[in-house]
Amino acid sequence: MILKCPNFQSSFWTILLFILFSGFATAQDKTKDSLSYYIDNKDYLKGLKYSREKSKFYLENKDYKKYCDVSLKKADIYFMLNDNPKSFETLFKALKIAENHHIVESRIKIMEDIGHRYASIRDFKKAKKYYEISLNLRKKNNLLSDDLFVYQRLYKALFYLNSDSVTFYMSKIMRSAKKSGDFSRLSSSYNNYYTYYSNKKNYVLAKKYLDSCAYYAEKSKNTERIVTSLSNLGYHSLTVEKNYKKGIKQYLKILEINPSDTVSQNVSDTYLNLSYGYEMMGNYKSAINYMNKYFHVNETIYEDNIKRAISDIETKYKIEKIENENKEQQRLMEEKQKNNQKIILIFIALFAFSTILFYFFYQNLRLKQKNKFIDLDRQIKQNIINATIDGQEIERKNIATILHDSISALLSSAGLHLSAYAANNPTENSEEIQKTRAILKEAHDNVRDLSHELIPPLLAKFGLFHALQDLCEKNSNSILQFEYSSYVPQGRRYNEEFEMRVYFITAELFNNIIKHSKASKAYITLEENNNQLLLTIEDDGKGFDTSKELLSDGFGLTQIKSRIKHLKGSITINSKINAGTLIYIKLQIPK
């Protein structure tokens, strides 16, 4: 944890999501049959057709157990197709069959799936109801065990409902880690308890679990777990216990673990926290020393300045190169056209009887050349747009880095020196000094906010998918709701340039929805298939006539299309008046 962003709740949600998603890995694999094959290959239409035929066959032959199994997969297909009403209808119909024919295992599975469907639409009260019915059925039929996946799902529902029972299921999840005897897993589990109780502001109990987390981290010999526990111990000491000496001791241990690491972000943050701890102890000399070390780690700002200057030159060079290539190609085309005209004139003089034939040939040649000029001009404009946007994106990133790592740090340093001066000269602690400190703080906050607007910190630290989910949450309000769905494996990252371009393309499309669509709901879905990233963006707004829109493309949409083509991708826009808009983007993932 870093004192410049003291936010227990953010850390808590990160760890909670880790628990929830790691639970999904324990789910039982479904039988691999033809229907599973269609689902795995996302051939949902064939899957639906096959499931309907099989459902009818099993009903006619009174094989109700297999009918229920097929219905579960059919409900999955409807869910994948975002048709929740049909998914629920399929499940409840199967549930009625299972109840009428006393098929206990099918009833349990269907109840759990119904609960999961309600959880997916954030109706956690109903989700909890069906999870508990499922558990009661298991208990009644002696089918309970400590490692059931439904505990993880019920835990999630209870957490969102702020239920007191959530700790009961936390312990069940912990039980599996204890049975495994894996020290790293135990450390992680205790760390979950620490963050949970910290969020509840029960710092005494939180400290108890934090100590257990540190104990098992040491036993695990896992450097990452040890550093995490020490960082949390240091943070707890500085912010909760106000024991700055103890907190400093924990952060110094982090530096001792890997003394050769002097340039990483973790070391930079550790220096910053040490500076804060020494400042709070009044040891301004040490505080300034560690602040200077923090500056040393971030001295790459000078390299960024050079890169920015080079980037400006490269951008201008690309544009000039494209323009020069255009002039050269035009010159060659004009020369070729003149040569063709001379040849035609010679043939006309020699063969007067073929005038009409050569006339048509000449006209056809001119038309082809004209089309080539048009295509060439279009390609050049597109290349200029791409080169300009490349420069803008690089500039955007460099400015954000300079603001965050240099100017922000300089403002903090100025405030620190001012504090040191005020402490050494208490008689001169005038109103002007207080105002100056307030102005420095306000400037620091404004610089930080501006750097976050230029390049979202989530995009750099956690990747494209966390950044897009955050973008949906930030743009959602009482008038327009953005819903985010991703079927890309958790933790998937691409190269930095690709993620940044996809993020800004999506952000521009979101702006179009907000400004023009008059929609109440919008959806973004992400998938990965055959080394391609697939984005589907849909809204229920007023729509537009695509044939007319194509004739008068706005510059924003032109930029987006050009950017997607530059990324070796494609975009398809389907829209009708008063019928919403569906945008489908397919991008090649860079190696």
Side-chain angles (χ1 to χ4, degrees):
M1 295 184 179
I2 308 167
L3 286 170
K4 60 184 178 181
C5 298
N7 191 339
F8 277 112
Q9 188 172 2
S10 175
S11 179
F12 170 71
W13 280 109
T14 301
I15 294 172
L16 176 62
L17 287 172
F18 171 78
I19 296 172
L20 294 176
F21 283 106
S22 63
F24 280 93
T26 63
Q28 295 178 347
D29 290 334
K30 297 183 179 179
T31 304
K32 293 295 180 183
D33 54 16
S34 298
L35 188 51
S36 298
Y37 174 82
Y38 289 132
I39 294 173
D40 291 343
N41 288 277
K42 296 183 174 58
D43 199 343
Y44 299 132
L45 295 181
K46 288 184 180 179
L48 275 179
K49 181 180 178 182
Y50 180 83
S51 65
R52 287 167 183 162
E53 292 172 354
K54 297 299 288 186
S55 296
K56 182 180 179 181
F57 174 80
Y58 290 137
L59 276 180
E60 290 174 350
N61 289 273
K62 298 182 180 180
D63 193 340
Y64 301 116
K65 171 74 167 59
K66 290 186 178 179
Y67 170 82
C68 291
D69 292 340
V70 170
S71 295
L72 284 168
K73 293 179 180 179
K74 188 199 295 186
D76 283 345
I77 293 175
Y78 280 125
F79 181 70
M80 297 296 182
L81 294 171
N82 294 318
D83 193 343
N84 280 322
K86 287 285 182 65
S87 182
F88 277 113
E89 179 184 336
T90 303
L91 288 171
F92 280 112
K93 185 177 179 180
L95 179 61
K96 185 176 180 180
I97 295 289
E99 288 175 343
N100 290 341
H101 297 280
H102 309 290
I103 309 172
V104 177
E105 290 186 3
S106 294
R107 285 182 65 193
I108 291 170
K109 291 179 182 178
I110 294 168
M111 288 288 186
E112 290 179 6
D113 258 29
I114 291 173
H116 186 47
R117 293 291 176 266
Y118 277 120
S120 69
I121 61 175
R122 304 189 67 80
D123 191 341
F124 295 108
K125 190 172 182 180
K126 287 186 179 179
K128 170 179 173 290
K129 170 187 172 182
Y130 284 97
Y131 291 150
E132 289 177 340
I133 293 173
S134 170
L135 278 175
N136 288 333
L137 281 172
R138 286 184 179 275
K139 184 176 181 181
K140 185 177 178 180
N141 292 274
N142 296 319
L143 296 173
L144 280 176
S145 63
D146 286 338
D147 59 351
L148 284 174
F149 182 53
V150 71
Y151 288 133
Q152 184 65 57
R153 288 178 167 178
L154 182 56
Y155 166 72
K156 178 181 177 181
L158 291 170
F159 177 81
Y160 281 110
L161 291 171
N162 199 24
S163 170
D164 294 335
S165 302
V166 69
T167 54
F168 171 77
Y169 291 99
M170 283 177 67
S171 67
K172 282 190 172 292
I173 297 168
M174 169 71 83
R175 189 177 304 162
S176 176
K178 287 184 176 179
K179 283 185 178 180
S180 70
D182 187 305
F183 296 136
S184 181
R185 287 180 61 189
L186 283 167
S187 174
S188 179
S189 297
Y190 279 112
N191 192 60
N192 294 341
Y193 274 77
Y194 160 66
T195 54
Y196 171 79
Y197 284 108
S198 292
N199 187 64
K200 294 290 186 182
K201 301 191 184 302
N202 187 342
Y203 298 120
V204 175
L205 191 54
K207 181 60 168 59
K208 171 186 173 183
Y209 288 112
L210 180 55
D211 290 339
S212 297
C213 167
Y215 171 77
Y216 284 108
E218 289 292 337
K219 294 196 67 152
S220 72
K221 307 298 183 182
N222 185 315
T223 302
E224 183 178 354
R225 299 281 355 133
I226 293 171
V227 169
T228 298
S229 63
L230 287 174
S231 180
N232 287 341
L233 283 167
Y235 185 84
H236 186 84
S237 298
L238 293 179
T239 60
V240 178
E241 297 175 352
K242 306 299 181 184
N243 189 337
Y244 305 113
K245 184 175 181 180
K246 183 178 178 182
I248 289 170
K249 183 179 179 182
Q250 303 297 344
Y251 284 113
L252 289 174
K253 285 182 180 179
I254 294 175
L255 297 180
E256 292 173 0
I257 289 175
N258 190 3
S260 62
D261 182 6
T262 58
V263 295
S264 71
Q265 186 61 47
N266 285 336
V267 170
S268 174
D269 295 336
T270 301
Y271 287 152
L272 196 59
N273 289 333
L274 282 168
S275 177
Y276 171 81
Y278 280 118
E279 180 187 1
M280 298 307 294
M281 290 182 65
N283 187 343
Y284 296 109
K285 182 178 179 180
S286 295
I288 293 172
N289 180 43
Y290 278 104
M291 181 60 75
N292 287 335
K293 288 185 176 183
Y294 170 79
F295 289 151
H296 180 71
V297 173
N298 289 279
E299 279 181 355
T300 53
I301 184 63
Y302 298 109
E303 296 179 5
D304 291 336
N305 287 334
I306 295 172
K307 289 179 181 178
R308 184 181 64 171
I310 293 173
S311 174
D312 290 341
I313 296 170
E314 286 178 344
T315 301
K316 293 176 182 177
Y317 169 75
K318 287 179 182 179
I319 293 174
E320 289 176 357
K321 183 179 179 182
I322 291 169
E323 290 176 343
N324 290 334
E325 288 176 351
N326 179 33
K327 291 178 181 178
E328 179 63 20
Q329 290 182 14
Q330 285 180 337
R331 186 186 65 80
L332 292 174
M333 288 242 180
E334 288 172 355
E335 288 182 358
K336 185 177 180 181
Q337 186 176 15
K338 290 178 180 178
N339 291 332
N340 288 332
Q341 289 175 345
K342 290 178 181 179
I343 294 171
I344 292 171
L345 291 173
I346 292 172
F347 273 92
I348 291 174
L350 296 174
F351 307 99
F353 62 88
S354 59
T355 302
I356 297 176
L357 178 63
F358 280 98
Y359 172 79
F360 284 114
F361 170 78
Y362 175 72
Q363 292 297 326
N364 183 56
L365 183 62
R366 287 189 61 186
L367 180 60
K368 287 182 179 180
Q369 289 171 341
K370 183 178 180 180
N371 289 335
K372 286 182 180 179
F373 276 118
I374 292 172
D375 291 340
L376 180 61
D377 184 62
R378 186 185 296 112
Q379 183 63 40
I380 289 167
K381 288 180 179 178
Q382 181 174 306
N383 290 340
I384 291 174
I385 290 173
N386 288 332
T388 303
I389 295 176
D390 284 341
Q392 289 174 347
E393 288 179 350
I394 294 171
E395 183 72 9
R396 189 187 192 107
K397 179 181 176 183
N398 288 332
I399 291 173
T401 304
I402 291 170
L403 289 175
H404 184 274
D405 293 343
S406 179
I407 299 176
S408 178
L410 289 173
L411 290 172
S412 296
S413 178
L416 186 61
H417 283 289
L418 195 60
S419 296
Y421 177 81
N424 293 328
N425 301 274
T427 58
E428 298 183 19
N429 194 10
S430 64
E431 182 180 353
E432 286 74 12
I433 291 179
Q434 298 298 326
K435 287 182 178 179
T436 303
R437 293 173 68 181
I439 291 169
L440 284 172
K441 183 179 183 303
E442 181 180 356
H444 175 271
D445 293 342
N446 289 340
V447 168
R448 180 196 59 202
D449 293 340
L450 180 57
S451 71
H452 289 179
E453 288 180 7
L454 289 169
I455 297 292
L458 271 177
L459 182 62
K461 292 183 178 179
F462 299 105
L464 173 65
F465 302 103
H466 284 281
L468 290 180
Q469 187 172 10
D470 182 66
L471 185 66
C472 288
E473 293 172 359
K474 285 182 178 178
N475 283 294
S476 294
N477 51 50
S478 59
I479 298 174
L480 173 58
Q481 286 288 322
F482 284 87
E483 294 188 9
Y484 172 86
S485 300
S486 174
Y487 300 100
V488 178
Q490 184 74 4
R492 185 80 162 97
R493 293 297 301 269
Y494 309 117
N495 71 53
E496 183 180 355
E497 182 181 358
F498 179 77
E499 288 190 342
M500 182 169 64
R501 289 178 175 177
V502 174
Y503 176 86
F504 286 119
I505 287 171
T506 307
E508 183 62 26
L509 290 172
F510 276 20
N511 286 336
N512 288 343
I513 292 173
I514 294 168
K515 292 178 181 179
H516 308 298
S517 71
K518 296 184 179 180
S520 60
K521 282 190 176 182
Y523 311 85
I524 178 170
T525 304
L526 298 105
E527 299 176 82
E528 184 177 320
N529 186 28
N530 294 330
N531 202 37
Q532 290 182 324
L533 181 63
L534 310 178
L535 292 88
T536 304
I537 300 174
E538 185 178 7
D539 67 71
D540 62 355
K542 64 181 183 179
F544 60 91
D545 187 341
T546 54
S547 61
K548 293 181 179 179
E549 185 69 10
L550 290 173
L551 295 175
S552 57
D553 246 351
F555 185 68
L557 190 55
T558 300
Q559 272 192 329
I560 291 169
K561 290 180 177 179
S562 176
R563 214 75 189 105
I564 291 170
K565 187 174 181 181
H566 185 57
L567 290 173
K568 299 180 180 179
S570 62
I571 179 171
T572 304
I573 302 175
N574 295 322
S575 184
K576 292 182 180 179
I577 300 296
N578 299 323
T581 301
L582 175 65
I583 299 175
Y584 184 74
I585 299 173
K586 184 185 295 184
L587 298 172
Q588 192 70 30
I589 299 172
K591 297 181 179 179

PDB file of all heavy atoms in Angstrom, residues 210 217 528 586:
ATOM      1  N   LEU A 210      -3.635  -9.691  10.013  1.00  0.00           N
ATOM      2  CA  LEU A 210      -2.455  -9.213   9.311  1.00  0.00           C
ATOM      3  C   LEU A 210      -1.194  -9.897   9.843  1.00  0.00           C
ATOM      4  O   LEU A 210      -0.298 -10.250   9.076  1.00  0.00           O
ATOM      5  CB  LEU A 210      -2.340  -7.687   9.450  1.00  0.00           C
ATOM      6  CG  LEU A 210      -1.153  -7.031   8.763  1.00  0.00           C
ATOM      7  CD1 LEU A 210      -1.116  -7.381   7.290  1.00  0.00           C
ATOM      8  CD2 LEU A 210      -1.203  -5.522   8.951  1.00  0.00           C
ATOM      9  N   ALA A 217       3.378 -15.806   5.300  1.00  0.00           N
ATOM     10  CA  ALA A 217       4.177 -15.290   4.185  1.00  0.00           C
ATOM     11  C   ALA A 217       5.648 -15.642   4.392  1.00  0.00           C
ATOM     12  O   ALA A 217       6.341 -16.056   3.458  1.00  0.00           O
ATOM     13  CB  ALA A 217       3.998 -13.785   4.055  1.00  0.00           C
ATOM     14  N   GLU A 528     -12.134 -12.915 -27.040  1.00  0.00           N
ATOM     15  CA  GLU A 528     -10.884 -13.173 -27.747  1.00  0.00           C
ATOM     16  C   GLU A 528     -11.013 -14.489 -28.490  1.00  0.00           C
ATOM     17  O   GLU A 528     -11.378 -15.505 -27.893  1.00  0.00           O
ATOM     18  CB  GLU A 528      -9.725 -13.229 -26.742  1.00  0.00           C
ATOM     19  CG  GLU A 528      -8.367 -13.400 -27.419  1.00  0.00           C
ATOM     20  CD  GLU A 528      -7.231 -13.372 -26.409  1.00  0.00           C
ATOM     21  OE1 GLU A 528      -7.315 -12.562 -25.484  1.00  0.00           O
ATOM     22  OE2 GLU A 528      -6.299 -14.176 -26.548  1.00  0.00           O
ATOM     23  N   LYS A 586     -13.449  -5.829 -34.851  1.00  0.00           N
ATOM     24  CA  LYS A 586     -12.562  -6.997 -34.801  1.00  0.00           C
ATOM     25  C   LYS A 586     -11.128  -6.494 -35.003  1.00  0.00           C
ATOM     26  O   LYS A 586     -10.834  -5.853 -35.999  1.00  0.00           O
ATOM     27  CB  LYS A 586     -12.951  -7.987 -35.890  1.00  0.00           C
ATOM     28  CG  LYS A 586     -12.143  -9.292 -35.872  1.00  0.00           C
ATOM     29  CD  LYS A 586     -12.492 -10.169 -37.060  1.00  0.00           C
ATOM     30  CE  LYS A 586     -13.930 -10.653 -36.996  1.00  0.00           C
ATOM     31  NZ  LYS A 586     -14.253 -11.588 -38.111  1.00  0.00           N
TER      32      LYS A 586
END
